[in-house]
Amino acid sequence: MINRVVLVGRLTKDVEVRKTQTGLSVASFTVACDRRVSRQDGSQQSADFINCVAWRQSADFLGQYARKGAMVGAEGRISTRSYDRQDGTKAYVTEVVCDNVNLLESKSQSAARAAQSESNNYNSGYGFDNNYQQPSYQPQPSAPAVDDGYSNGSSLDISNDDLPF
């Protein structure tokens, strides 16, 4: 049996980092992932909002560098737990416990996205309604060639439709 999750999406708000009584860092965050919904009138997009938890160094890293709207890749496992609320009812929680979380955009791309959202007065988050529309792909100007020993020709032009996720 396998319990493995891989998510790619954007943070819906800034990461919340807390410390346990023993001093371990724990980060809570939500990732908005695109979901394509086929309808008779054409293809529409929607989003799933998935609660995630990261521990220790991953939590500290996210708390320091990840901000609302940042594109992240998270890998982990689905975990379910329950607890008793103060009113005596039982609450159930399903979340992804992340083993590995990576920022998937550069600092300059993140700053440009933040500046663009401020100039558009777009402060309501990233796709929090059923009319969620993914921003269109805009190719970035190519960087000057660097001989790093890994490039062996021209670069590939890959669009979002070419990606398997």
Side-chain angles (χ1 to χ4, degrees):
M1 290 175 257
I2 299 173
N3 179 0
R4 207 76 199 137
V5 176
V6 176
L7 303 172
V8 175
R10 295 199 180 270
L11 295 177
T12 61
K13 59 184 176 182
D14 287 347
V15 176
E16 179 183 328
V17 179
R18 299 178 313 277
K19 295 279 187 181
T20 65
Q21 291 178 347
T22 59
L24 290 177
S25 298
V26 58
S28 299
F29 56 99
T30 303
V31 178
C33 298
D34 290 340
R35 176 174 24 125
R36 294 181 188 207
V37 179
S38 297
R39 308 234 171 130
Q40 291 180 355
D41 60 346
S43 181
Q44 294 182 344
Q45 287 186 340
S46 179
D48 291 313
F49 301 93
I50 301 165
N51 294 325
C52 300
V53 175
W55 291 85
R56 297 179 176 82
Q57 290 88 356
S58 292
D60 293 331
F61 171 80
L62 289 171
Q64 187 170 3
Y65 297 107
R67 296 291 172 254
K68 174 181 175 179
M71 178 77 73
V72 297
E75 183 179 357
R77 61 182 170 79
I78 293 177
S79 175
T80 56
R81 59 186 170 86
S82 64
Y83 63 93
D84 293 324
R85 294 186 181 126
Q86 289 182 349
D87 63 2
T89 61
K90 189 169 270 256
Y92 295 92
V93 177
T94 300
E95 58 198 1
V96 174
V97 177
C98 298
D99 299 326
N100 188 17
V101 183
N102 294 303
L103 295 177
L104 299 180
E105 61 187 359
S106 69
K107 190 173 183 178
S108 61
Q109 288 173 321
S110 178
R113 179 186 36 76
Q116 181 181 10
S117 69
E118 286 178 15
S119 68
N120 291 339
N121 198 16
Y122 180 66
N123 295 320
S124 63
Y126 192 85
F128 296 114
D129 59 37
N130 290 334
N131 296 323
Y132 172 78
Q133 294 293 319
Q134 181 180 11
S136 62
Y137 174 74
Q138 307 231 346
Q140 301 294 323
S142 59
V146 175
D147 185 15
D148 57 4
Y150 292 103
S151 57
N152 58 358
S154 63
S155 63
L156 295 175
D157 185 23
I158 299 175
S159 70
N160 285 341
D161 293 334
D162 296 330
L163 299 175
F165 46 86

